[in-house]
Amino acid sequence: MSEIRLYISTTEKRAEIALSLMSDAFEDEGYAIATMEIDEKNDIWEASVYMFREDEAAIHDRFAALLAGDFPEAVIQREVLPDIDWIAKSLEGLKPVRAGRFIVHGSHDRGTARPGEIAIEIDAGQAFGTGHHGTTAGCLEVIFNVMRSRRVKRVLDLGTGSGVLAIAARKLAPVRVLATDIDPIATRVARENVRINGIASGVTLETAPGFHSTAFRRHGPFDLIIANILARPLMRMAPQLAAQLAPGGGDVILSGILASQRWKVLAAYNGAGLRHVSTIWRNGWVTIHLDNRR
Ligand SMILES: C[S@@+](CC[C@H](N)C(=O)[O-])C[C@H]1O[C@@H](n2cnc3c(N)ncnc32)[C@H](O)[C@@H]1O
């Protein structure tokens, strides 16, 4: 099924306002996802909403109505996203990525792990997470640091995409991982990657937006929560996410955050009772580690 992106081009501040309107309006609808993107070279920000083609007419009207008040000048632009397996294509030319003790590679690079490295094979699929993005690599690094120093039994990977982070945690230790994604294509791709990596048990995959599934009650509370989503939804879900953490002491890894957004995200999580442990930077993106220990 092809996907459509409707978007407006504006400044960073205005894109944030638009995104907040859109996130509230489309919050509980898995088929319409609001995001913010930057064309760094030209400093142009885009507030976008992604949807399947069959939903376009309805979403377009709602998008236009939302913008009418604060953005009367906005011109809604449209992009048809190619219905191709673009990750499979791009993987052909991608080199393995190393982060922490992990090496993430495609099937064409099997056998490149050095002694002591943990290999994760991520293959074709229309889901995010090959290890090459600064946010994924940042999460892998912090997962490794947390799991080598803490006793972790239950992990939540919120927004699992290709499943790369869930697979990393499961390969590092005998943990139980709940991996969820709002997008059914992502959970399908993640399931295949779990299989390719020879993981027979310990990873449960669910298609669910946010925390509304019964799986959370069955699997939580969690010693480690990883959420590589985007700053705005992360801020909005701070109290719910903090409530999923094991009260005896748990760790949270957040990513999908631009360097300029880190203070706001930190403020939201401090407000939810979490403490900053560390922040790492990769290619303009930050990954934040917090915990609920005193
Ligand atoms: C940036 S990708 C991260 C993928 C992978 N975890 C990684 O680190 O490479 C974000 C993923 O989060 C999913 N997502 C966005 N909002 C979500 C929500 N509220 N609940 C669950 N998943 C969500 C998206 O569909 C997407 O697959």
Side-chain angles (χ1 to χ4, degrees), residues 230-243:
L230 275 176
R232 193 156 288 276
L234 284 175
M235 286 190 277
R236 216 180 36 234
M237 61 175 63
Q240 288 168 291
L241 191 146

Side-chain angles (χ1 to χ4, degrees), residues 110 121 123 162 167 171 188-201 203 205:
R110 265 179 211 155
E121 182 172 322
D123 253 339
S162 66
I167 294 167
K171 282 201 158 186
R188 200 184 64 215
V189 171
R191 186 160 288 118
E192 180 56 12
N193 282 322
V194 166
R195 191 191 64 76
I196 289 171
N197 281 276
I199 296 171
S201 65
V203 178
L205 283 151

Side-chain angles (χ1 to χ4, degrees), residues 18-79:
L19 185 66
S20 127
L21 292 172
M22 289 150 58
S23 305
D24 291 343
F26 299 126
E27 184 172 23
D28 293 322
E29 301 180 35
Y31 57 78
I33 298 171
T35 66
M36 191 163 118
E37 284 118 27
I38 181 175
D39 168 357
E40 277 187 77
K41 215 164 82 202
N42 302 308
D43 196 27
I44 294 174
W45 290 77
E46 292 167 352
S48 314
V49 59
Y50 290 81
M51 73 221 68
F52 293 123
R53 194 192 284 268
E54 61 184 18
D55 300 317
E56 183 180 358
I59 302 284
H60 183 284
D61 289 352
R62 288 175 55 195
F63 191 32
L66 271 180
L67 296 172
D70 290 317
F71 297 82
E73 77 295 347
V75 177
I76 298 180
Q77 300 171 78
R78 176 177 191 268
E79 181 185 10

Side-chain angles (χ1 to χ4, degrees), residues 101-102 118 143-145 147-148 167-174:
R101 232 178 77 202
F102 302 108
I118 299 170
I143 289 170
F144 179 69
N145 290 338
M147 289 184 62
R148 73 176 168 182
I167 294 167
R170 184 67 186 87
K171 282 201 158 186
L172 194 56

Side-chain angles (χ1 to χ4, degrees), residues 33 128-129 136 157-162 164-165 180-183 186 208-210 228-229 237:
I33 298 171
F128 185 106
T136 312
D157 176 17
L158 193 76
T160 194
S162 66
V164 56
L165 304 180
T180 68
D181 204 289
I182 204 166
D183 176 1
N228 177 8
I229 302 186
M237 61 175 63

